[in-house]
Amino acid sequence: MSSVDIVNVHKSFGENEILKGIDMQVAQGEVVCLLGPSGSGKSTLLRCVDGLVMPDKGHVSVGGTLIGRKVHGGKLHDLSGREAAGQRERIGMVFQQFNLFPHLDVRENLVLGPRAHRLGAKAELEEKAHALLGKVGLSSRAKAYPAQLSGGQQQRVAIARALMMEPDLMLFDEPTSALDPELVGEVLDTMRSLAQDGMTMIVVTHEMAFARQVADRVVFMADGHIVEDAAPALFFDSPETERARAFLRLV
Ligand code: ADP
Ligand code: MG
């Protein structure tokens, strides 16, 4: 069974159809890099997977669970806000902007979500936070506030914070796009290590070297369609479409 199953997803905003029938599967433990020009619908597709956006047509399931909807009385209904939030617990999302709570230190940022969801006793969660900070190379910064950290460190904290919820799936939406160039590598290294640990990941990125090295598959989107879906070496060395060739010339 695939971990993520995206079936014929359509989404419009007003008159604009942004996703025009997207089909895509991601197997458990697979890393898919989602590439494409700005405005091609990559973020919208990730939001459909996370249940932040509901498709107009088609559906998404993660680990066999339909996202954002449930069957009740033989009919499909949208989940309530609370039910949808519950579903999102097991899906980690990392954005371009790190979105840490500025008034909380690093450890508090990590422990807050799991505490609110009653995922463990305080001491247990703090121990887990410590272990995850070690994993992202920030053991010594547990008491620092976000403003005292570099952008790369803040993004690694954001990744550790997502991992606190023990997600089955991690979604990354241009996680290094807001970083100074010299800080990009440390965040990509953290993501690479997560991939090596077997995490299922969908990564929207403009880091082509990362996509080539780490992705199991590259999915290239343009104008609301999936145009290519291939192994990285195949995609980068011999793209099938002119659309992909034009994109690769510009990156
Ligand atoms: P990408 O991430 O590939 O750059 P997006 O999914 O962010 O593309 O956006 C695709 C298009 O959808 C853009 O033209 C954007 O303006 C539009 N769009 C995205 N979200 C909304 C929204 N909530 N309301 C209206 N338009 C939106
Ligand atoms: Mg985007």
Side-chain angles (χ1 to χ4, degrees):
M1 188 180 63
S2 35
S3 182
V4 182
D5 214 354
I6 300 172
V7 180
N8 191 30
V9 163
H10 290 256
K11 181 68 190 180
S12 297
F13 293 113
E15 298 280 278
N16 295 334
E17 193 174 33
I18 303 304
L19 300 177
K20 301 174 182 171
I22 299 289
D23 289 286
M24 173 177 149
Q25 283 77 43
V26 183
Q28 198 168 341
E30 198 174 23
V31 177
V32 171
C33 279
L34 189 55
L35 311 182
S38 178
S40 56
K42 305 180 297 295
S43 294
T44 303
L45 184 59
L46 279 195
R47 285 167 190 278
C48 288
V49 175
D50 200 29
L52 293 166
V53 164
M54 285 309 291
D56 300 325
K57 199 171 143 192
H59 68 267
V60 175
S61 56
V62 174
T65 302
L66 192 60
I67 294 296
R69 296 205 169 106
K70 64 180 174 188
V71 181
H72 184 75
K75 278 189 183 164
L76 270 181
H77 297 269
D78 287 355
L79 295 184
S80 68
R82 175 191 285 247
E83 289 168 322
Q87 234 177 23
R88 274 203 293 278
E89 271 178 41
R90 305 306 298 273
I91 303 175
M93 182 83 142
V94 175
F95 299 93
Q96 183 173 330
Q97 299 305 332
F98 328 119
N99 300 326
L100 298 176
F101 298 108
H103 59 295
L104 298 179
D105 71 23
V106 164
R107 188 175 64 177
E108 290 163 344
N109 263 281
L110 264 62
V111 168
L112 186 73
R115 282 290 280 169
H117 291 98
R118 299 176 205 287
L119 294 188
K122 190 159 180 258
E124 189 187 326
L125 292 172
E126 286 182 351
E127 199 168 309
K128 191 165 157 190
H130 182 73
L132 284 171
L133 286 176
K135 206 174 156 47
V136 302
L138 291 170
S139 300
S140 62
R141 306 314 305 272
K143 293 284 182 193
Y145 284 84
Q148 298 170 312
L149 301 176
S150 72
Q153 290 172 329
Q154 290 186 55
Q155 192 60 303
R156 280 145 65 203
V157 173
I159 293 171
R161 183 173 64 173
L163 294 175
M164 284 293 289
M165 302 297 287
E166 299 185 2
D168 303 315
L169 168 69
M170 286 286 287
L171 306 174
F172 293 87
D173 197 352
E174 303 197 26
T176 60
S177 294
L179 297 176
D180 291 334
E182 72 272 21
L183 303 178
V184 167
E186 65 193 58
V187 172
L188 294 180
D189 286 346
T190 298
M191 292 165 62
R192 184 180 288 116
S193 131
L194 200 55
Q196 279 161 356
D197 289 347
M199 178 62 75
T200 310
M201 296 165 52
I202 305 178
V203 182
V204 175
T205 185
H206 297 294
E207 295 293 331
M208 296 302 139
F210 176 85
R212 188 189 268 271
Q213 288 164 12
V214 181
D216 295 300
R217 267 164 56 218
V218 167
V219 170
F220 173 69
M221 279 180 72
D223 306 323
H225 294 283
I226 290 179
V227 177
E228 301 209 21
D229 182 340
L234 207 58
F235 176 75
F236 287 111
D237 297 334
S238 39
E240 285 189 351
T241 60
E242 180 47 37
R243 196 75 190 73
R245 282 192 288 275
F247 173 76
L248 287 170
R249 277 197 293 273
L250 292 172
V251 293

